[in-house]
Amino acid sequence: MWALVVGGALAVVAVVVVLLPFFRQRREAEPDEPFDPSTGSGRAEGVRVQREGIYQALETLRLERELGQVDDAEYERQAGEYRRMAALLVREQERLLAEGASEEDGGPNDQLEREVAEARERLRRMEDEAP
Amino acid sequence: MADLGSITMLLAIALAVYAGIGSLVGQWRHAPDLLASARYAAYLTPLMLVTAMLVLVAAFVDHDFSLRYVAGNSNRAMDPWLTWVAFYAGNEGSLLFIAAIFSGAAALAIRLAPDEVRPALPFTTAVLMGVTVFFTGIMMTMANPFYELPVTPPDGQGINPLLTHPGMFFHPPMLMSGLVGVGLPFAFAIGHLLAGQTGDEWVDTARTWGLVVWATLTVGLLLGAWWAYTILGWGGYWAWDPVENAGLLPWLPLTAFVHSIMVQKRRGMFRMWNIALIILAWGFAMYGMFMNRGGPVPSVHSFGQSTMGWVFLIFLAVNLIGAFAVFFWRYERLKSAAPLESRLSREAAFLLNNVLFLMVALVVLWGVVYPLVTDVFQGVIVTVGQPYFDIVAGPLFLALVALMGVGPLLPWRRASASGTMRLLRFPIIVGIIVAVIAVALGARAVLPALAFGVCGLAAAGVLREWVKGTQVRHTRGEGWPTAFGRLIMSNRPRYGGYIAHLGIVLLAFAATGSSFYSVQEDFSLAPGERAALGSYEVEFLGSSSTPRPDRIERRAVVQVYKDGQPLEQLQAGFAFYPAFSMAATRAGIRQTPVEDLYVLASEFTPDGRALFRVHINPLVVWLWIAGPIMVLGTVVSLWPERQRAAAALPAMRAMRAVRATG
């Protein structure tokens, strides 16, 4: 009998927890926002992932040059390509920022603007570090 | 008690079904509340299954023999410390364990999913819940651990004697977790394909889970080897048994995957390869489950046999067909972001790595299914044994170890021939020196000398990377220890991987030594008599017989001498379980870094004599040392990078803000 009581209580708890999202006040920007490939969010995320990948690749390339795995000429060729790719991605991010701003009635999103500014700064540093 | 177990299993399957369907419908109808509700259901599923697990463990502790599963896998004489082992000793308990561990890992994967995989998360959740529903469903319908007997027996049948080993506390759980865990990176890969996200968003998450599962599976396989070495009584640790191979098969494409995914992460290449590798790894993992639960090939693991193999076969077919259908559906969008620029590059080495791992997998698979093929086409079962695997798979493994030494030294994108030769000079010289030393120490045959040389080359490749990297940092003014520590921390995936590579080198080193230079001999000795093998002598001192409630333990005590000097006493024997008509061997092992002296006492005659088999197995201890090193490497690889994570946070928030405004 006690097993049925405990089992029943677990069932009630499960139902309550599962139904909870339908009754609570919804905050903005929930991570459960359905994905719509036609919006800019997916593209923006892709750009960010690619950009991070390029920064990491450049760091590894630097280490490889220091370890003697890549000569200076090859380093320069590859690093130049990475910088160009990073610049393209920053521009793409700026374009997405502009799209976000036009979709929103107010000004551009502060967080995203900071993000793009950070990317620009990082790109500038990369160019400064180039021999 | 049984009722509570049944209720929680019912709740678990209901929650998993709801979570899977709710995710898909929520995605389709753009219903965030439904998606959140489905996610909560996914979190609750493991809680229900863990409750069912606890109920079953409590039934074992209480000796509740009204449950068929408890009566079939324990008895009152069973040592209490074996309760945990008894819990998963049969199909029913092991399926419950698998369902619980997978649903728990799935809930964790959903909860910890980073922002870049969230758009595809509903599809990933649906795949994860599909797997959970399968295991829970098959358990409830075909192997219910809470099935009650019409008449409660006074005592149970007892636990399978082969499972009464400390290794059984960890080997089956690790192996089961490793096999089913392949479903995690698989779910992320298929979830992203279904969502139409054919880029690199899933790569980091799949790599993380892939590495966790890889380490789990590796440790599970090594613990299985240790169990076989100490309890099966044949003096070896790997017999290419069909079920051992079933555990190895997913490990091969999974190992290729955790390497190949780095190329996608770095260069956006090998997208098709990575999807195909993880599908194959999952397919092989399912095949392993099938072999364990009623597969047609006999094995030492036959304690897990049942009639449910065909269900696993159907599930395997559905998974493979479905996954490859989605793969071909998205085929055009899976093209690499960059071409392979040179055959002399890191990418090319990774490509060769993938090919070699797949070749080994195919060779092993062919060895496993060959008896079935001959049975179907010739009407006679012909099995292939160790020589087939040693001859065919051995050189491929050796090539992989060699590649492990060369690949990391090659730069990304392209390398010049002269530059490559300069980089490889040191490892090649070390490899040659090691091979020469091996020959000088008695490795007269070509293959073992070559294998030791290749181990030297691979180890030297890793050491060169560490030494050079530390030197570079040292020239910037860092002290040597600081420079080394910071080098490792500067690129954890890379240097953690090198640590794991050293573990693999040790494994290859041990396998070479023990495969080529093990010796064994049988002796019948009376108390006080001695026998010699190599530089060892063993003296039979006497034997004892100890009756236990469920078994009779026979032990022989031998004194070991080396070069005439007494070393230590070893106990070797077995425990005979009358209820199973089965004996569990306990070998007496003297382990040193150079070799194991391995003594088995297989028979005791009425005149007081004992029949011994004595082995000298070189380098085996390095196998057991390799495991923790590989785990350490995995941990270092996975250790979060604080700065990068912190830098990524604003971007994640920004993406959420974009979503909210969109």
Side-chain angles (χ1 to χ4, degrees), chain B residues 360-381:
Chain B
V360 178
L362 290 176
V363 161
V364 174
L365 181 66
W366 179 244
V368 171
V369 300
Y370 189 71
L372 302 179
V373 173
T374 56
D375 190 20
V376 170
F377 292 102
Q378 296 172 6
V380 57
I381 294 176

Side-chain angles (χ1 to χ4, degrees), chain B residues 121-141:
Chain B
L121 200 55
F123 296 101
T124 305
T125 304
V127 177
L128 291 169
M129 291 302 110
V131 175
T132 307
V133 168
F134 169 74
F135 281 106
T136 313
I138 197 174
M139 176 172 60
M140 289 175 68
T141 52

Side-chain angles (χ1 to χ4, degrees), chain A residues 18 32 45 66 69 81, chain B residues 37 39 413 465 476 655:
Chain A
V18 166
D32 299 305
E45 186 60 20
E66 287 177 307
Q69 292 178 347
E81 274 183 39
Chain B
S37 170
R39 201 157 44 90
R413 303 182 72 164
E465 284 286 280
R476 292 177 192 161
M655 291 311 116

